[in-house]
Structure formats: structure tokens, C-alpha cells
């Protein structure tokens, strides 16, 4: 069939298929780019120490060392450290999600002098690096006798997080004004409006905020290392500090194996909550 005899709709279909092919190629490439580091970590966890130190690099292990994962699990109190991390992450993620939702609701639906200025200051505080506030934070908690306790994470959770406040503010600002007007006519206060009307409708942002906050706390190394003793420390600190030889040299293959097991809970949480996470990130700010 010649070009002049092609069906009239064939050219658009060819373009659509070509565009899809380009799109899928880009998506597969990006997927490989993001999965690559995790795959390399898994391979390192399956190598021997000699293979990790070899030059040139051994891309694949000669013999898969599955025993590395068992050794990494048994050499330390892995479950104990994981329990500490889980307690801290759950406390912080739950409290900071609720407190950020409350603050975001206030910025979105209430009127007060200087609200825009306060919101600008809040957004500006996102640019402050953690290292600037590290020493003052430690001194405050030391004065209050909260070092080597989990109370700092409680207060951090109650204080809300600027980024999460921004997410909730953008979401609540897009809800119809008629919702709260009808509730006010029925005699509801703003506390009731928040808990019974706005919060139940914000489940996509709640899911996204909880996953983000949980990841922050689970992956934090600096605060637990600074504030907690060894027994109460988290898995992030244990993975980085306990897999060493008698001379203090890190055992890289065991660290890699432990890091894989350390990352798995975050992957599971994201896979379980990915629908709400994606919905929350995509609908925030839409009116």
C-alpha cells in the first residue's frame, strides 16, 4: 500500500504510537535511574569484603553471599533498634501530621491581622538548614532534662512542620466556602468544622504527610545520634556505627546488607499508601 493509499486516520495513530514509545522509553530510563542505587546496594550486600575492595570494580558477586543478611541481622539487636525507630517515627509522624493540618486550616480558612506575613515567615523557615538549629535545640532539651528520652520527638511533632503546613493550607484553601458557612449556620465552631468536615475530606494529604513525616524520622541520623544513648538509639545510627572491625574499619558488605533491610519498611509503607500519597501531592493547590 502506497503512502497515498493509507487510511485517513493512520497518520495520527502513527504519531500517537511514536509519542507513547518516546514516553515509555523516558519512563523506563528514569525508573532504572532511580532503582539503580538500590540495586547496587543489594549487590554490595551480596559480595564478600574482598570483592568490595577489589580494583577494578566487581559489578556482580562471584558467589551470592546471602549469609551477609543473616550476619547483619544477628550481630546487633536489629529488632530492638528497629522498634526504637518505629516508635519514634510513629509518634512524630502522627503528631506532626495532625498539628500541621490544624495550622494549615488556620492559615487557609481563618482571617487575622498579619496572616500573610506569618505565612511568609513560615515558608521562609523552610530554607533554614538543620545544622543551624542543632546546637540551640540540644541546649534547650538538655536544660529541660529531655536528653536520652523520646520527648523531643513529641514536641517536634506538636510544633508542626512548615512544608506539611503548606500542603494542608493549599488543600484546605481549595475547598468550597459553603461547607463551613453551612456548618456555622448549624452552630458549629471552627474546631468542630476542622475535625468533622475538613479533616475527613483531606485523606489524600493526610496520607502524603504521614508518609513524608515517617520517612523524615525513620531516616534521621543526626538527632538520634545527638540526643539518645546507645540502648535507645535508632536503626539508622546502629547501621552506620556498629558494623565495624576491632580496628574501627567499617564492614562495608554488612553495612550494605543492613541498609537494604533498613530501607525495606519505607518501601512497604510507600507501596501501601502510594495511592493516597500520589493523590495528595497531585491535588494539593488545585481549586
Amino acid at each position: 500500500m502506497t503512502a497515498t493509499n493509507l487510511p485517513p486516520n493512520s497518520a495520527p495513530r502513527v504519531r500517537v504510537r511514536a509519542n507513547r514509545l518516546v514516553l515509555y522509553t523516558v519512563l523506563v530510563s528514569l525508573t532504572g535511574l532511580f532503582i539503580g542505587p538500590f540495586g547496587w546496594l543489594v549487590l554490595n550486600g551480596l559480595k564478600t569484603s574482598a570483592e568490595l575492595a577489589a580494583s577494578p570494580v566487581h559489578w556482580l558477586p562471584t558467589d551470592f553471599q546471602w549469609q551477609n543478611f543473616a550476619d547483619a541481622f544477628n550481630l546487633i539487636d536489629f529488632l530492638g533498634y528497629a522498634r526504637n525507630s518505629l516508635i519514634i517515627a510513629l509518634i512524630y509522624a502522627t503528631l506532626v501530621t495532625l498539628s500541621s493540618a490544624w495550622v494549615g486550616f488556620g492559615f487557609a480558612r481563618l482571617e487575622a491581622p498579619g496572616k500573610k506575613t506569618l505565612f511568609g515567615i513560615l515558608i521562609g523557615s523552610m530554607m533554614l538548614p538543620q545544622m543551624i538549629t542543632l546546637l540551640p535545640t540540644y541546649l534547650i532539651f538538655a536544660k529541660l532534662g529531655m536528653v536520652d528520652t523520646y520527648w523531643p520527638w513529641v514536641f517536634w511533632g506538636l510544633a508542626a512542620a512548615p512544608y506539611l503546613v503548606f500542603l494542608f493550607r493549599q488543600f484546605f484553601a481549595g475547598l468550597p466556602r459553603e461547607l463551613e458557612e453551612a456548618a456555622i449556620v448549624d452552630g458549629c465552631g471552627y474546631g468542630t468544622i476542622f475535625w468533622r468536615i475538613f479533616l475527613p475530606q483531606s485523606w489524600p494529604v493526610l496520607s502524603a504527610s504521614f508518609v513524608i513525616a515517617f520517612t523524615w524520622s525513620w531516616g534521621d541520623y543526626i538527632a538520634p545520634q545527638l540526643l539518645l544513648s546507645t540502648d535507645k538509639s535508632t536503626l539508622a545510627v546502629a547501621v552506620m556505627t556498629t558494623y565495624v572491625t576491632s580496628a574501627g574499619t567499617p564492614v562495608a558488605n554488612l553495612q550494605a546488607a543492613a541498609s537494604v533491610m533498613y530501607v525495606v519498611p519505607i518501601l512497604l509503607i510507600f507501596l501501601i499508601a502510594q495511592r493516597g500519597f500520589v493523590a495528595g501531592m497531585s491535588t494539593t493547590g488545585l481549586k
Side-chain angles (χ1 to χ4, degrees), residues 14 18 25 41 70 77 83 111 118-119 131 140 148 151 165 173 200 203 213 226 230 241 249 251:
V14 171
T25 302
L41 186 66
D77 186 11
R83 182 186 64 248
E111 297 297 332
L118 288 175
F119 187 70
M131 297 303 296
I140 290 173
D148 201 23
W151 279 107
V165 170
W203 68 266
L226 185 67
T230 302
T241 59
T249 305
V251 184

Side-chain angles (χ1 to χ4, degrees), residues 119-207:
F119 187 70
I121 295 173
L122 178 76
I123 297 301
S125 66
M126 294 170 58
M127 295 184 290
L128 290 175
Q130 184 183 12
M131 297 303 296
I132 292 179
T133 60
L134 190 61
L135 182 58
T137 299
Y138 177 80
L139 293 176
I140 290 173
F141 288 131
K143 290 289 185 181
L144 295 175
M146 296 181 182
V147 175
D148 201 23
T149 70
Y150 294 156
W151 279 107
W153 283 266
V154 174
F155 284 99
W156 281 327
L158 294 175
Y163 179 67
L164 301 185
V165 170
F166 173 77
L167 291 183
F168 279 106
R169 187 261 184 189
Q170 296 300 102
F171 181 82
F172 288 144
L175 295 180
R177 181 68 64 176
E178 290 77 11
L179 286 174
E180 60 189 276
E181 290 177 350
I184 291 173
V185 170
D186 290 338
C188 296
Y190 277 103
T192 303
I193 293 172
F194 170 74
W195 287 105
R196 294 191 177 183
I197 299 177
F198 277 70
L199 197 63
Q201 296 191 59
S202 64
W203 68 266
V205 189
L206 286 172
S207 299

